[in-house]
Amino acid sequence: MLKQLTLKNVGPAPFMELHFSDRLNLLTGDNGLGKTFLLDAAWWALTRSWPAEVNTKLSSGMMAKPHGEKWERAVIEFSFATNSGPVQGEFHFDHKHQDWNGKYCVPFSGLVFYALANGSMALWDPNRTSLHRPNMVWNGWDPHHRPPAYVFNSEEIWNGLHDSSGKRLCNGLLADWAGWQKEHGATIKALANILSTLAPSADEGMTIGDLSRISLTDVRDIPTLKMPYGQEVPVLYASSAIRRILSLCYLLVWAWQEHSHACKLLGEPMAKRFVFLIDEIEAHLHPKWQRSIIRSLLHMANEVAVLFPGVQVQFIITTHTPLVLASMEPFFDAVQDKWFDIDLLADKDGTFLVQLSEQPFIRRGDASNWLTSKAFDLQSGCSLEAEEALAEASALLSRESVTIAEARGMEEKLRMVLGDTDPFWVRWRFILEKKGLLS
Ligand SMILES: Nc1ncnc2c1ncn2[C@@H]1O[C@H](COP(=O)(O)OP(=O)(O)OP(=O)(O)O)[C@@H](O)[C@H]1O
Ligand SMILES: [Mg+2]
């Protein structure tokens, strides 16, 4: 499992350090403060490739590059646990070669899944991928020319992946799913089980339907999903949310199948460690699903343990939504879970600094309390207009003398922005009455 990641003089902050927990790690922070950047760096630490270098069609997942003169002091340090013990790496930016240079250290001995925010997916499998960095001190030679990782853009995960020489690396979800379904074997059962763990509720299960054709001119058998409204919908028509979930489930099952084959060929045991990096876990999800997705992922981890006996699963997840944090309250376990937050802090001299810190996870009861917590730093969960009117009304109430006209004017403003049952009305009426201003 990834234990530690330290970035010095690269990225939005001069220094970021994370000591990860073994199960669930959640990252919050404003837009542009480095959540995705940290996931890219975590992926690199484990696999030593940048997603956009492996697949140049990707528009994110680029190599971390230090800004300006900072390259001289730019460092990426990491440590992770592998089958053969702990591994530590220290890499410095080599300006001349425009790459990270360090003493060779083995990559991660487990599987790594990276779900990028734009629907791209990346997979590291220690038995099927290999380190390929040209300027790395690397004494090995890989006769099979294994790819540095399997990196799919959102289209390739559905239709198949080729390497730069045109060799087919993966058939893609549509072809593989249809093939597995025709075999009626363990693979389609595994896919069905994993899909069912990720459904938002029992009555909205993600159940596999029959294969179907969608056009006279398209000879493919297209997998379908049974919808709660009774139709079997071809996955090509699935919503953005479902497509992302399907892609992740497919990649997981495909990885299991191919990893099992590779282990048999190589005479090696199956991987015992999994790391899932998931950017913007809430992407496209309805609040109902946002509220269940972390719990579902933990159930999915149990299903992964059926496929990979004895496996340990670690999640590193970014989110923008308070529902995800609120939903974790019942099962957040400080021994195996952590929450990190990135903030923009004003320095003494008025300049701003990006700072990452681990936060204590305190139960807050509901999502609106999370909105006003350190995770999201909002004043309230209401509209900006209501927030401004409430501040103005509070200031008015705390004044010694207020005229009836002022009170009426303010009340009119409040009516425009507050609901009839807003708790502020009680305070408003009580103080106006005390001041003799209630008409
Ligand atoms: N490849 C890179 N090399 C150096 N710095 C980078 C790189 N990629 C991102 N950054 C830094 O990270 C910042 C953007 O961070 P990132 O995209 O990770 O934000 P985020 O927290 O994921 O935002 P959002 O919530 O909008 O997704 C950039 O402004 C830049 O400072
Ligand atoms: Mg991001």
Side-chain angles (χ1 to χ4, degrees):
M1 308 325 236
L2 187 56
K3 294 281 178 197
Q4 175 239 326
L5 179 65
T6 306
L7 302 165
K8 295 177 194 161
N9 295 308
V10 59
F15 180 82
M16 294 211 218
E17 183 160 79
L18 300 102
H19 291 271
F20 295 100
S21 67
D22 282 344
R23 189 176 73 158
L24 209 55
N25 297 275
L26 215 61
L27 257 167
T28 56
D30 244 344
N31 293 120
L33 295 192
K35 300 180 297 299
T36 302
F37 175 71
L38 283 171
L39 289 191
D40 291 341
W43 163 268
W44 179 81
L46 294 164
T47 71
R48 243 55 58 69
S49 73
W50 300 98
E53 283 192 334
V54 178
N55 186 335
T56 50
K57 294 184 204 110
L58 258 59
S59 55
S60 58
M62 278 164 257
M63 177 193 287
K65 289 251 174 107
H67 190 60
E69 294 302 306
K70 285 191 170 168
W71 66 264
E72 286 185 53
R73 286 168 287 121
V75 187
I76 304 182
E77 283 170 25
F78 54 81
S79 69
F80 53 77
T82 69
N83 295 345
S84 46
V87 170
Q88 284 190 329
E90 181 180 322
F91 286 71
H92 296 255
F93 194 69
D94 177 343
H95 199 237
K96 193 161 167 240
H97 295 101
Q98 289 288 294
D99 203 352
W100 292 90
N101 225 340
K103 219 169 117 203
Y104 172 76
C105 65
V106 293
F108 189 54
S109 61
L111 269 68
V112 187
F113 290 84
Y114 184 8
L116 288 85
N118 59 9
S120 308
M121 300 264 161
L123 167 71
W124 163 265
D125 174 339
N127 291 342
R128 295 194 296 134
T129 48
S130 70
L131 289 181
H132 271 244
R133 303 205 64 78
N135 61 338
M136 185 121 34
V137 185
W138 166 239
N139 300 319
W141 177 67
D142 185 3
H144 304 292
H145 302 293
R146 285 176 268 204
Y150 293 92
V151 182
F152 306 76
N153 68 16
S154 54
E155 190 268 324
E156 288 161 334
I157 190 88
W158 286 63
N159 293 319
L161 181 70
H162 297 84
D163 70 8
S164 53
S165 67
K167 192 165 78 187
R168 184 174 278 271
L169 298 174
C170 170
N171 292 325
L173 178 153
L174 292 173
D176 275 341
W177 180 334
W180 298 339
Q181 199 156 341
K182 286 175 196 167
E183 283 166 20
H184 301 289
T187 321
I188 195 69
K189 276 198 198 116
L191 182 67
N193 289 344
I194 287 182
L195 278 174
S196 71
T197 61
L198 287 175
S201 64
D203 52 344
E204 281 173 273
M206 299 226 287
T207 313
I208 295 177
D210 292 334
L211 298 172
S212 85
R213 291 284 172 100
I214 55 163
S215 145
L216 286 175
T217 51
D218 187 344
V219 295
R220 295 174 302 173
D221 292 316
I222 306 296
T224 64
L225 277 182
K226 287 184 187 161
M227 285 295 145
Y229 43 85
Q231 289 177 14
E232 295 198 352
V233 174
V235 293
L236 281 175
Y237 302 155
S239 69
S240 310
I242 303 244
R243 287 172 83 97
R244 193 173 190 222
I245 298 279
L246 292 182
S247 302
L248 184 66
C249 294
Y250 161 68
L251 193 60
L252 188 53
V253 174
W254 180 73
W256 165 64
Q257 205 196 36
E258 296 301 325
H259 183 75
S260 318
H261 288 318
C263 287
K264 271 188 206 132
L265 272 174
L266 301 168
E268 286 182 13
M270 301 268 285
K272 287 265 180 283
R273 292 185 173 88
F274 264 47
V275 179
F276 282 92
L277 308 169
I278 306 180
D279 201 13
E280 298 184 20
I281 182 73
E282 72 280 4
H284 311 296
L285 299 185
H286 181 274
K288 187 155 88 178
W289 211 340
Q290 291 180 14
R291 209 159 64 146
S292 63
I293 188 68
I294 298 277
R295 190 177 67 180
S296 303
L297 286 175
L298 293 178
H299 289 158
M300 184 189 81
N302 294 338
E303 213 48 57
V304 171
V306 175
L307 304 178
F308 293 78
V311 78
Q312 249 186 303
V313 181
Q314 181 186 42
F315 292 98
I316 305 176
I317 293 174
T318 76
T319 186
H320 295 109
T321 170
L323 275 167
V324 163
L325 286 127
S327 75
M328 282 177 56
E329 290 192 1
F331 51 80
F332 187 93
D333 172 0
V335 177
Q336 19 175 20
D337 305 328
K338 280 189 182 180
W339 164 38
F340 302 92
D341 185 48
I342 315 178
D343 265 322
L344 192 60
L345 301 179
D347 237 353
K348 279 183 227 116
D349 58 3
T351 53
F352 285 94
L353 185 74
V354 174
Q355 199 176 67
L356 175 131
S357 55
E358 191 192 328
Q359 294 290 324
F361 190 92
I362 301 161
R363 288 199 189 99
R364 290 164 211 272
D366 74 14
S368 44
N369 293 337
W370 276 99
L371 272 181
T372 54
S373 74
K374 265 208 71 58
F376 302 101
D377 299 306
L378 296 192
Q379 296 295 315
S380 68
C382 58
S383 68
L384 279 174
E385 287 75 10
E387 198 174 293
E388 282 158 15
L390 284 169
E392 208 184 315
S394 296
L396 193 84
L397 291 179
S398 58
R399 263 173 38 197
E400 293 260 314
S401 67
V402 180
T403 65
I404 291 194
E406 281 177 316
R408 281 201 185 137
M410 192 66 240
E411 186 155 326
E412 216 153 281
K413 248 192 201 174
L414 287 170
R415 280 227 179 84
M416 303 287 288
V417 292
L418 292 189
D420 292 344
T421 55
D422 193 283
F424 185 74
W425 288 122
V426 177
R427 184 170 155 225
W428 174 254
R429 299 225 166 85
F430 177 73
I431 298 182
L432 284 196
E433 192 172 16
K434 261 185 35 185
K435 288 182 187 283
L437 292 170
L438 207 57
S439 47

